[in-house]
Amino acid sequence: MASYKFKIPLVGDGAVGKTSLIIKFVENMFKHEYKSTIGVDIFTKSVKIDKNDVLMTLWDIAGQERFKVIRKGFFDGAAGAIIVYDVTRKDTFENVENWLNEVQEYTGPIPMIICGNKIDLTDKRQVSTKQGNSYASKINKTFIETSAKTGENVENAFIELCSEILSTRKK
Ligand code: G3D
Ligand code: MG
């Protein structure tokens, strides 16, 4: 039994659902409108995993996805990261690799989850589960598909990342 505090940045192109995923996980509600603020928003959530108390601090880029210059402080000390794309926009999937490189440039090899979001929009899907899965396994990362709208798999994504971080710390 131990207490941990994990900093977890969420990255990915604009409007893929990063903020929605965090809000869903933290407050378990889906809001249709957010104010796009400037800078970084930090959310916290406590969870219990295998009798460990984990305080997750979730770092959200607030509408500045294009500005690389803000990133150092954003990634400093990150325990793990979530890279999000939108399954209805192929370009956001193609950009996952850029995000991955950027995260690794700052953090080195830390646990990361590749998250394909908006799976509730079945008619609009442009990236299949198979494509997401095979990319993630190629880069040796855990893959998960979510809907911040219905809540499907949202908790699993965050908890899975935490479990991976914990397993790297256990002797
Ligand atoms: P971002 O933080 O990555 O920029 P947001 O993305 O969380 O702000 O989400 C961008 C838009 O996508 C929002 O719609 C949000 O409601 C919607 N969205 C996020 N996740 C899902 C999802 O899983 N399913 C569906 N159907 N929509 C989602 P608006 O209209 O407010 O721009
Ligand atoms: Mg956002």
Side-chain angles (χ1 to χ4, degrees), residues 52-103:
N52 298 294
D53 288 315
V54 179
L55 179 68
M56 304 172 74
T57 62
L58 304 166
W59 288 53
D60 187 24
I61 303 171
Q64 294 195 346
E65 284 86 348
R66 285 196 218 109
F67 298 98
K68 208 174 169 182
V69 68
I70 65 160
R71 298 271 210 278
K72 194 182 172 324
F74 188 71
F75 290 122
D76 253 357
I82 301 184
I83 303 179
V84 186
Y85 67 92
D86 174 349
V87 299
T88 72
R89 285 186 294 144
K90 200 163 191 286
D91 56 316
T92 68
F93 176 62
E94 287 162 352
N95 255 335
V96 167
E97 186 162 9
N98 295 327
W99 286 107
L100 177 82
N101 291 337
E102 188 171 332
V103 175

Side-chain angles (χ1 to χ4, degrees), residues 85-150:
Y85 67 92
D86 174 349
V87 299
T88 72
R89 285 186 294 144
K90 200 163 191 286
D91 56 316
T92 68
F93 176 62
E94 287 162 352
N95 255 335
V96 167
E97 186 162 9
N98 295 327
W99 286 107
L100 177 82
N101 291 337
E102 188 171 332
V103 175
Q104 283 177 346
E105 183 186 319
Y106 289 103
T107 66
I110 55 172
M112 277 181 230
I113 299 272
I114 308 296
C115 173
N117 186 44
K118 306 198 189 181
I119 55 170
D120 58 287
L121 298 174
T122 44
D123 307 347
K124 293 189 179 155
R125 200 194 256 266
Q126 292 181 353
V127 184
S128 69
T129 302
K130 200 176 162 195
Q131 283 172 298
N133 218 341
S134 66
Y135 174 69
S137 63
K138 195 179 86 187
I139 59 169
N140 207 16
K141 304 288 179 218
T142 301
F143 173 63
I144 199 154
E145 287 191 325
T146 56
S147 168
K149 186 168 187 176
T150 68

Side-chain angles (χ1 to χ4, degrees), residues 13-20 22 34-37 41 60-65:
D13 287 357
V16 296
K18 300 179 295 297
T19 305
S20 301
I22 294 173
Y34 298 118
K35 297 250 183 296
S36 194
T37 45
D41 290 325
D60 187 24
I61 303 171
Q64 294 195 346
E65 284 86 348

